[in-house]
Amino acid sequence: AKFNTEYFNKLASISTGLFWMSKKINTELITPVVHRASGKHRERSATRDRLRYSTKSQQSLTQLTKFLAVEFEPRAEECLSIVRMEVRAQIVCLLKNISKHNYWLPEDSIINKPQDFIIELNKLLVSLEGKLSGCLPDRCIRFLFEEIAYFVCEVIIDQIPRVQNEKINLVGYKQMYKNTFSLQQNLTTITHKGMEKCFDRAQKYLKLSQKTPADIEKIQEIKNKKSFGADKEKYAAYDFSKEQYAAIKRVAKLSNAHRK
């Protein structure tokens, strides 16, 4: 079942409201009173009753501060966490379609747009940004979507070796590249920040499917060296785990069986 994006707006509003109330109470009630009480403590003419009252007030305010920290702020963070986890779930749900598709496509196939599930994911992200933009500060939205971008790339990397028949030809590669580039453009627009470095890693992993296993082993060896020398920048995006290299080698072997 798809998550109703209307809930994103409500959860974000609750989160912002709780943070706002906590900050407002702290800055306009607790802090001024504590400062005044501290000043009264320093007055030589203060009576014992006033000191006793001031001490009790400070204790009450301290309890209120703890209450805000324990109840208000964690609940505000929980609301954002729900949004974050739900968006991640929808991303996985949609990007799992990669493993359900065949990317050994006919050579005469025309690749002029992303696949439907990518278009749907882009629409979801735009809708989410629209729902949150009126509820969260810009810095929170940028942080949320930058994290989403890196998560999207990790899911794509996970899904590439799982494609049907574990084979990707040049036309299939172009289709998958079109998919990732479309997501990159969309998230760049949302975050107002270049996502090239983030998506470069996913695109480099995809490109490995078009190389031979021997080529991949060479790249892996270079990455394992402590000093990269002149090739440091060239191979910077090929930072994958042994398991990820092993998975893409299987795809490369089947996809390039005609090459030596």
Side-chain angles (χ1 to χ4, degrees):
K2 296 297 177 67
F3 189 76
N4 187 344
T5 54
E6 290 298 328
Y7 292 130
F8 291 143
N9 180 280
K10 293 177 181 178
L11 286 166
S13 295
I14 293 170
S15 177
T16 301
L18 288 171
F19 273 125
W20 181 85
M21 288 177 67
S22 178
K23 184 178 179 181
K24 197 81 169 174
I25 293 171
N26 270 303
T27 58
E28 296 190 11
L29 174 62
I30 297 175
T31 301
V33 173
V34 169
H35 285 169
R36 285 199 299 270
S38 297
K40 288 179 181 180
H41 272 293
R42 290 191 295 269
E43 291 177 3
R44 295 180 179 179
S45 60
T47 63
R48 288 183 181 180
D49 289 341
R50 185 188 296 177
L51 288 172
R52 190 180 298 112
Y53 176 78
S54 179
T55 301
K56 288 182 179 179
S57 297
Q58 282 188 303
Q59 289 174 346
S60 298
L61 291 172
T62 299
Q63 290 175 352
L64 178 57
T65 301
K66 289 180 179 178
F67 175 79
L68 292 173
V70 172
E71 297 292 335
F72 271 50
E73 294 171 15
R75 290 182 187 278
E77 291 170 358
E78 283 173 14
C79 290
L80 284 183
S81 293
I82 293 170
V83 173
R84 177 172 167 269
M85 295 308 297
E86 181 57 35
V87 173
R88 283 187 168 211
Q90 293 299 324
I91 288 169
V92 172
C93 179
L94 289 167
L95 290 182
K96 279 183 71 175
N97 283 290
I98 292 173
S99 61
K100 298 176 182 178
H101 281 77
N102 174 27
Y103 290 94
W104 192 266
L105 301 175
E107 293 184 2
D108 60 351
S109 299
I110 298 174
I111 309 299
N112 55 16
K113 67 175 185 176
Q115 290 176 281
D116 289 343
F117 64 89
I118 297 294
I119 294 173
E120 186 178 349
L121 177 53
N122 276 328
K123 287 180 179 178
L124 173 66
L125 295 174
V126 170
S127 175
L128 172 62
E129 193 270 339
K131 299 294 182 184
L132 299 182
S133 61
C135 307
L136 293 175
D138 289 342
R139 58 182 178 79
C140 290
I141 292 175
R142 285 196 299 272
F143 173 78
L144 178 64
F145 279 94
E146 283 177 28
E147 184 191 53
I148 286 172
Y150 281 94
F151 181 74
V152 164
C153 290
E154 287 303 317
V155 177
I156 290 172
I157 288 169
D158 175 77
Q159 287 293 299
I160 289 171
R162 303 175 189 270
V163 298
Q164 282 190 7
N165 303 316
E166 296 183 322
K167 294 196 299 182
I168 303 171
N169 65 2
L170 182 59
V171 183
Y173 164 81
K174 290 179 178 179
Q175 178 64 75
M176 296 188 80
Y177 185 89
K178 191 78 173 178
N179 291 347
T180 57
F181 188 67
S182 172
L183 289 165
Q184 176 185 323
Q185 286 183 311
N186 189 31
L187 284 162
T188 296
T189 301
I190 291 172
T191 60
H192 305 291
K193 180 179 179 180
M195 291 285 108
E196 293 85 358
K197 187 175 181 180
C198 171
F199 278 87
D200 187 46
R201 188 164 177 270
Q203 289 160 356
K204 286 287 195 299
Y205 193 70
L206 174 60
K207 196 171 184 178
L208 289 177
S209 69
Q210 302 305 294
K211 295 184 179 293
T212 65
D215 292 335
I216 295 174
E217 287 176 6
K218 181 181 177 182
I219 291 170
Q220 194 173 3
E221 287 174 6
I222 293 171
K223 283 300 299 177
N224 288 337
K225 290 180 180 179
K226 293 182 179 179
S227 176
F228 305 110
D231 292 327
K232 181 177 180 179
E233 289 297 325
K234 182 179 178 181
Y235 293 96
Y238 290 101
D239 187 19
F240 306 111
S241 67
K242 290 182 179 179
E243 293 75 16
Q244 288 171 332
Y245 271 114
I248 202 64
K249 277 182 192 176
R250 289 195 300 271
V251 176
K253 184 176 181 181
L254 293 171
S255 301
N256 302 285
H258 59 287
R259 295 172 58 189
K260 294 184 179 179

